[in-house]
Amino acid sequence: MKPKPPLEALILTLRQRKVILDADLAALYGVPTKVFNQAVRRNRDRFPEDFCYQLTAREWAGLRSQIAASRSHSAQTEDLAPIWSQSVTSSKSHRGAAYRPYAFTEHGAIMAATVLNSPEAVTMSLYVVRAFIQMREQIAANAQVLKRLAEIDQTLLKHDKSLQIIWRELQPLLNPPPAAPKRQIGFHTS
């Protein structure tokens, strides 16, 4: 079995949803992007807007700039070849405005596997679903950690206020009392 790519790197957040692009999903399912998209178009009724949508020109332009920046950063820091999802190619040599990618949600990725109906697609769909589930669990765990940190922060603020009150009350006790006037030796004329 060929090695599985790190799916967390392929899952993006677009329109406040976790999605995977058509080229990445096609590569996972072992079919060319063009064939994958043709199968989706032939079964368009199985892919409502909450399962699959085409990126707008603005979204695609923004995503391409992020991918290019990510690719140059990873090449500088890790000296690795770019991941397939980070290349901006498709079945054409380069995607233009007319060839904007499709984004598939978790449910859209499962539906795509049923449309392709190959054993590899079914196996990889389970892999994709598990990756989406794992990301959801990580997000939930992060939310719990952030909630706990906020509670600790509130507790520390309360303690901080209490310590300030104690400090103000102790401050007069910590300062030495003023020196009593010394009695002068000798005769005084006043």
Side-chain angles (χ1 to χ4, degrees), residues 20-31 36 104-105 108-109 112 116 128:
I20 187 167
L21 297 181
D22 57 0
D24 297 323
L25 205 51
L28 286 171
Y29 291 162
V31 297
F36 179 82
F104 291 83
T105 63
L116 292 174
V128 169

Side-chain angles (χ1 to χ4, degrees), residues 154-165:
Q154 288 298 319
T155 304
L156 288 175
L157 286 174
K158 288 178 186 173
H159 289 288
D160 192 37
K161 289 178 184 175
S162 298
L163 287 173
Q164 285 177 353
I165 292 170

Side-chain angles (χ1 to χ4, degrees), residues 34-103:
K34 184 176 183 177
V35 172
F36 179 82
N37 285 334
Q38 285 174 345
V40 170
R41 277 193 296 275
R42 279 193 303 265
N43 296 285
R44 193 65 194 147
D45 57 326
R46 293 184 182 196
F47 295 94
E49 185 73 18
D50 58 328
F51 281 26
C52 166
Y53 57 88
Q54 189 171 26
L55 272 61
T56 64
R58 174 176 268 174
E59 288 171 331
W60 179 228
L63 191 59
R64 275 192 309 208
S65 65
Q66 286 177 8
I67 290 169
S70 172
R71 181 173 41 194
S72 68
H73 176 69
S74 68
Q76 290 172 357
T77 58
E78 299 172 5
D79 293 329
L80 296 174
I83 298 173
W84 154 225
S85 69
Q86 293 175 337
S87 97
V88 289
T89 62
S90 70
S91 55
K92 304 283 183 188
S93 62
H94 290 287
R95 286 190 195 241
Y99 301 105
R100 296 185 317 268
Y102 286 89

